[in-house]
Amino acid sequence: MLELLYVLVVTHITILCVTLFLHRAQAHRGIEFHTAVSHFMRFWLWMTTGMVTKQWVAIHRKHHRYSDKEGDPHTPHVYGIWRVLFKGAFLYHAASKDTVMVESYGAGTPDDWIENNLYTKHSKLGVSLLLIINILLFGWIGLLIWGIQMIWIPFWAAGVINGVGHWVGYRNGETKDKSRNIFPIGILIGGECLHNNHHLEPANPKLSRKWFEFDIGWMWFKIFNKFGLAWERTNGIQ
């Protein structure tokens, strides 16, 4: 039971860091966090995903620029639904090697000492540290827990959101792409399942639009905002 609770808590924190920090704060500049919160999220993402902020942001911004047509780094309408769903992380990895694209689309992301000398330069060190922590906490079952953490974002974000979120579901409005809302209650994936809503207003940090929709990422943002740890920006990036 303790192991299950641990998995649910740590994967939820990871999802929140992806949707709030990488997506809504960095890629679209819709919100901003207190420096202490930003540093925690950056550290957590380094330790639990190994993703580099500038690369993730660049790939996502390019996705919006060419959504669902040639040039989109991970659309199922170019690469096929099954490839994106189960191999979406490999598409991200391939796109991250385009240094010209990363420099062009990744502007404005963290560029301090710790980003350049640890989080980017040693991006795989964090997940190795996490493996050691899990084994120390839970013994060899910690290896299984680590494996779940390693596939959590590649499957749910790179696979389900980028794949299913452009393939099947309902729409609250017409966009130039084929984005869909997968499910109206956004808890498991931090609200990102409301993908058509996001493509309707990319700079809007609130992903729910209808009375029956729920975006847990927005709920957590409002909690941070209540304590003066986060706030909305007025010059977001579409």
Side-chain angles (χ1 to χ4, degrees):
M1 179 58 73
L2 178 61
E3 292 85 353
L4 177 59
L5 180 62
Y6 174 82
V7 169
L8 292 175
V9 170
V10 295
T11 53
H12 186 63
I13 295 173
T14 301
I15 283 288
L16 289 178
C17 290
V18 170
T19 185
L20 291 179
F21 179 74
L22 288 180
H23 191 191
R24 308 185 205 199
Q26 289 294 305
H28 292 291
R29 297 293 185 185
I31 57 178
E32 188 172 353
F33 288 99
H34 186 279
T35 302
V37 177
S38 292
H39 275 291
F40 169 79
M41 290 183 169
R42 290 166 63 190
F43 171 78
W44 188 270
L45 288 166
W46 171 74
M47 189 175 67
T48 62
T49 71
M51 297 189 300
V52 176
T53 298
K54 189 172 187 175
Q55 293 174 355
W56 194 98
V57 167
I59 292 167
H60 186 73
R61 288 174 179 170
K62 188 179 181 184
H63 160 66
H64 276 275
R65 172 68 177 79
Y66 297 100
S67 191
D68 289 329
K69 56 188 178 182
E70 289 293 337
D72 187 331
H74 48 62
T75 173
H77 298 281
V78 172
Y79 297 102
I81 182 61
W82 299 114
R83 184 178 179 187
V84 175
L85 183 59
F86 293 110
K87 297 182 179 181
F90 295 101
L91 295 174
Y92 262 102
H93 180 71
S96 72
K97 300 304 179 184
D98 185 346
T99 56
V100 175
M101 182 277 292
V102 170
E103 287 297 322
S104 176
Y105 285 91
T109 52
D111 190 31
D112 53 13
W113 186 93
I114 197 169
E115 187 69 36
N116 296 321
N117 291 280
L118 182 60
Y119 297 157
T120 298
K121 187 176 182 179
H122 301 290
S123 60
K124 299 300 183 285
L125 181 60
V127 295
S128 301
L129 175 62
L130 179 65
L131 174 59
I132 295 171
I133 292 172
N134 283 355
I135 292 175
L136 288 175
L137 288 174
F138 301 107
W140 289 111
I141 197 173
L143 179 61
L144 174 61
I145 293 172
W146 181 82
I148 293 172
Q149 289 178 272
M150 291 303 98
I151 66 173
W152 200 261
I153 294 301
F155 178 70
W156 290 110
V160 173
I161 299 303
N162 294 336
V164 180
H166 282 264
W167 197 260
V168 65
Y170 71 96
R171 290 164 69 87
N172 282 330
E174 291 301 315
T175 59
K176 294 180 179 179
D177 53 52
K178 301 180 185 298
S179 58
R180 297 288 188 274
N181 293 324
I182 303 171
F183 192 70
I185 309 300
I187 296 177
L188 183 64
I189 325 178
E192 293 288 339
C193 56
L194 296 165
H195 204 57
N196 172 245
N197 290 355
H198 170 57
H199 275 261
L200 283 168
E201 289 185 281
N204 186 347
K206 183 180 180 181
L207 304 187
S208 56
R209 296 173 69 93
K210 302 293 187 179
W211 67 267
F212 56 86
E213 296 174 339
F214 176 68
D215 169 16
I216 197 171
W218 181 252
M219 181 199 79
W220 278 109
F221 165 75
K222 296 299 287 184
I223 293 173
F224 282 119
N225 178 257
K226 183 71 174 179
F227 289 96
L229 297 173
W231 48 91
E232 286 189 71
R233 296 175 58 131
T234 58
N235 56 339
I237 297 174
Q238 297 289 341

